[in-house]
Amino acid sequence: MKARLFRILRLGIKELYSLRADPVLVILIVYTFTIAVYSVSTGAKFEVENAAVGIVDEDRSMLSARIRDALLAPFFKPPELIDAAEIDRAMNAGRFVFVVEIPPRFEEDAIAGRHPTIQIDVDATAMSQAGNGAGYIQSIIGQEVATALPDQASTAPVQLVVRALFNPNLNSAWFTAVMQVVNNITLLAIILTGAALIREREHGTIEHLLVMPVTPMEIMAAKIWANGLVIVVAATLSLTLVVERLLAVPIAGSVPLFVGATVLYLFSVTALGILIATVATTMGQFGLIVIPVIVVMYLLSGSTTPLESMPDWLRMVMQLSPSTHFVALAQAILYRGAGLSIIWPQLGALTAIGAAFFALAALRFRKALLAAG
C-alpha cells in the first residue's frame, strides 16, 4: 500500500509539471477564478439599474409631477416626457423599458376618491428587469399618492412586515459571485482531468505509462488528486480574495468546511471528466461532448434557476448529478452558515455518486489503456 501511494504521488507530481508546461490551461485557470468571477458578478445583475422610463403626463398636476420626480437614479434614468402617440413607436425601437401613462384629471379624481388608473407599459424582453422594475414603479406611485393625499390613503387590514435574510439589500452580486466560483469548479474539474488524459494520448505518452509498473487505477487517481488540488487552491483563493475582499461579499459559513466539501465533490466530477475523455479520441471530440454536459449541469443544478421551478421528473433526474448536491451545500454553508449537521445528506449523496462515477470511469479507463496497448 505504501508503494502504491508513493507511485500515485509521483504520477500526480508529473501531472502538475505537465499542467505548468501548458500555458493555455494555466491562463484559463487564472482567468476563470479571477476576471470571470469579477466581471460576471459586477456585470450580470438582476436588479433594475439605469432603466429608461417614458412619462405620458396628460394631467400636468402637482401629483403627476411628484410621481415623475420620484423615479430616481440609480434604478431609473431621468424620465422623459413623451406624447401618447409616441408610445408604440418608442417601445418598438427599444427607447424605453417602462412607459407610465398618467390620465387627465388624475389628481382631481384622486382627491375626489374616484380611484383613477395609471397604466404602466413594460418591455418584458428582459423578464427579471421588467418584473422587478414594474414592482418598483407601483410601489413608488403608491407611496407618493399616499404621502400627497393622506386623507385618501386606505388603511390595509393587515400590516405586512418583510425581512430579507442572508442578503438584506437583495444585492444580486452576493449570489452571482459565489455561484460563479461554484460553477467554475465544475467547469475546470471536467476540463482539466479530461484534457490531461487526451494530452497523454495525443503526445504518445500513454504508451510510456503502459510499460511502467503502475495500474490504471493509480494513473487515474494521480490525475484526480493533482488536478483537484489545483482547482481547490484556485477556488479557495478566488473565494477569499476576489469574492470576499474585492467584491465585499460576506461569507457567512466556514470556508474550511466548504473546502472539504469541494474535495469530496471533485472526487466525483473529475472522474466524470476522465469518463468523458475515455469516450473521445481527440481534444476536439472531447470539447464537443463536454459542452452539453457542462451546460446541463450549469443551468439545472440550482445555481441559476431554482430546482422548485423545474418539472418533477427533471428534478428527480438532476438528483443524479453531483453538481445539484454541491450547489445546495455550497449555498447552505456560504450563505446561511450551515454546519456539518445540516449538509450531511448532500455529502452522503456526493459520496455515493462519486463512488459510482469513479468505478465506471476506472472500468472505461482500463479498457482504454488496454486498447492503446
Side-chain angles (χ1 to χ4, degrees), residues 18-68:
S18 299
L19 180 61
R20 188 184 67 175
D22 193 333
V24 175
L25 287 180
V26 172
I27 293 173
L28 175 64
I29 295 170
V30 175
Y31 167 80
T32 301
F33 284 108
T34 54
I35 298 175
V37 173
Y38 181 83
S39 59
V40 172
S41 301
T42 56
K45 294 185 177 181
F46 299 102
E47 301 94 353
V48 177
E49 187 169 337
N50 294 322
V53 182
I55 300 288
V56 178
D57 189 355
E58 297 180 331
D59 187 38
R60 303 287 177 170
S61 63
M62 293 293 294
L63 182 56
S64 65
R66 183 177 186 132
I67 292 173
R68 183 175 68 249

Side-chain angles (χ1 to χ4, degrees), residues 57-106:
D57 189 355
E58 297 180 331
D59 187 38
R60 303 287 177 170
S61 63
M62 293 293 294
L63 182 56
S64 65
R66 183 177 186 132
I67 292 173
R68 183 175 68 249
D69 295 339
L71 300 174
L72 301 173
F75 303 116
F76 306 100
K77 294 180 179 178
E80 182 179 338
L81 285 172
I82 62 173
D83 294 330
E86 299 180 54
I87 295 176
D88 290 340
R89 184 171 64 254
M91 297 200 74
N92 289 340
R95 284 176 53 197
F96 303 111
V97 180
F98 307 99
V99 174
V100 180
E101 300 183 55
I102 303 176
R105 298 186 300 276
F106 170 72

Side-chain angles (χ1 to χ4, degrees), residues 7 80 96 100 104 112 210 216 240 251 302:
R7 288 194 296 270
E80 182 179 338
F96 303 111
V100 180
L210 292 175
T240 55
I251 302 300

Side-chain angles (χ1 to χ4, degrees), residues 20-222:
R20 188 184 67 175
D22 193 333
V24 175
L25 287 180
V26 172
I27 293 173
L28 175 64
I29 295 170
V30 175
Y31 167 80
T32 301
F33 284 108
T34 54
I35 298 175
V37 173
Y38 181 83
S39 59
V40 172
S41 301
T42 56
K45 294 185 177 181
F46 299 102
E47 301 94 353
V48 177
E49 187 169 337
N50 294 322
V53 182
I55 300 288
V56 178
D57 189 355
E58 297 180 331
D59 187 38
R60 303 287 177 170
S61 63
M62 293 293 294
L63 182 56
S64 65
R66 183 177 186 132
I67 292 173
R68 183 175 68 249
D69 295 339
L71 300 174
L72 301 173
F75 303 116
F76 306 100
K77 294 180 179 178
E80 182 179 338
L81 285 172
I82 62 173
D83 294 330
E86 299 180 54
I87 295 176
D88 290 340
R89 184 171 64 254
M91 297 200 74
N92 289 340
R95 284 176 53 197
F96 303 111
V97 180
F98 307 99
V99 174
V100 180
E101 300 183 55
I102 303 176
R105 298 186 300 276
F106 170 72
E107 183 178 47
E108 178 184 336
D109 290 343
I111 293 175
R114 288 192 285 266
H115 304 290
T117 301
I118 290 181
Q119 178 170 305
I120 304 174
D121 301 316
V122 182
D123 180 357
T125 305
M127 292 180 295
S128 62
Q129 185 185 45
N132 294 337
Y136 290 177
I137 293 176
Q138 292 178 54
S139 177
I140 289 171
I141 292 174
Q143 290 177 4
E144 293 303 318
V145 171
T147 303
L149 306 173
D151 294 337
Q152 300 298 328
S154 59
T155 303
V158 176
Q159 183 179 5
L160 182 64
V161 178
V162 178
R163 285 197 309 139
L165 299 178
F166 315 119
N167 189 354
N169 294 325
L170 303 179
N171 188 348
S172 64
W174 287 23
F175 175 81
T176 308
V178 174
M179 287 299 98
Q180 189 68 13
V181 173
V182 170
N183 289 329
N184 289 345
I185 289 173
T186 302
L187 173 71
L188 283 186
I190 296 176
I191 290 178
L192 289 185
T193 49
L197 178 56
I198 299 293
R199 186 171 55 241
E200 298 272 16
R201 186 179 298 156
E202 291 184 340
H203 294 175
T205 53
I206 194 74
E207 289 79 6
H208 297 169
L209 294 175
L210 292 175
V211 298
M212 294 176 62
V214 293
T215 65
M217 187 74 71
E218 293 170 355
I219 298 173
M220 193 175 78

